[in-house]
Amino acid sequence: MSNANKPVLTLDMDEKFYLAVAKRDLDKLAFVYTLACLKQKPNSYNLFPTQEIHTFKSKSSANIYYETIAQMVEFNENDKTKKLIFETNAEVIERFMEKTK
């Protein structure tokens, strides 16, 4: 595989169960906020989500990270087996999105 075809970013889709993502750009920094249920053991996740903030000097890198997480959220939202986790955390997701506007 040539360097041009190598991924810019690779994330493990099983380490965290992403429920939501938001991004904010300020002067020289970009911030990506994530809401995720952390993996406890194989095929088991903590149902109480954790909020994280990721800080980037490069807005381009922040966009790549944000778009990658957004794809993971969409993938999870469309998975029928994970629907209950989104329903259970609907209020938490709504508050997260309000806080990160």
Side-chain angles (χ1 to χ4, degrees):
M1 183 184 287
S2 74
N3 284 341
N5 287 329
K6 287 188 178 180
V8 175
L9 175 67
T10 301
L11 294 175
D12 184 338
M13 292 181 67
D14 293 325
E15 279 304 308
K16 296 178 184 177
F17 177 93
Y18 288 97
L19 299 169
V21 63
K23 188 169 88 57
R24 183 179 298 155
D25 291 334
L26 296 176
D27 297 326
K28 296 180 180 181
L29 297 174
F31 302 95
V32 177
Y33 306 90
T34 59
L35 182 67
C37 296
L38 304 179
K39 190 174 190 174
Q40 290 181 312
K41 53 188 171 183
N43 300 321
S44 176
Y45 295 89
N46 186 339
L47 294 181
F48 299 100
T50 299
Q51 298 176 49
E52 294 181 334
I53 183 169
H54 311 271
T55 306
F56 295 86
K57 289 182 180 178
S58 163
K59 291 181 182 182
S60 173
S61 293
N63 285 335
I64 290 168
Y65 190 78
Y66 170 82
E67 291 297 334
T68 302
I69 300 297
Q71 286 296 308
M72 294 170 80
V73 169
E74 184 178 333
F75 181 83
N76 289 333
E77 283 177 324
N78 292 320
D79 185 330
K80 291 178 184 179
T81 62
K82 297 177 180 174
K83 184 177 180 179
L84 181 60
I85 298 173
F86 279 93
E87 290 172 355
T88 302
N89 286 293
E91 200 172 300
V92 175
I93 295 168
E94 187 177 324
R95 282 195 314 266
F96 171 84
M97 296 308 291
E98 276 298 313
K99 273 191 342 188
T100 56
K101 278 186 181 178

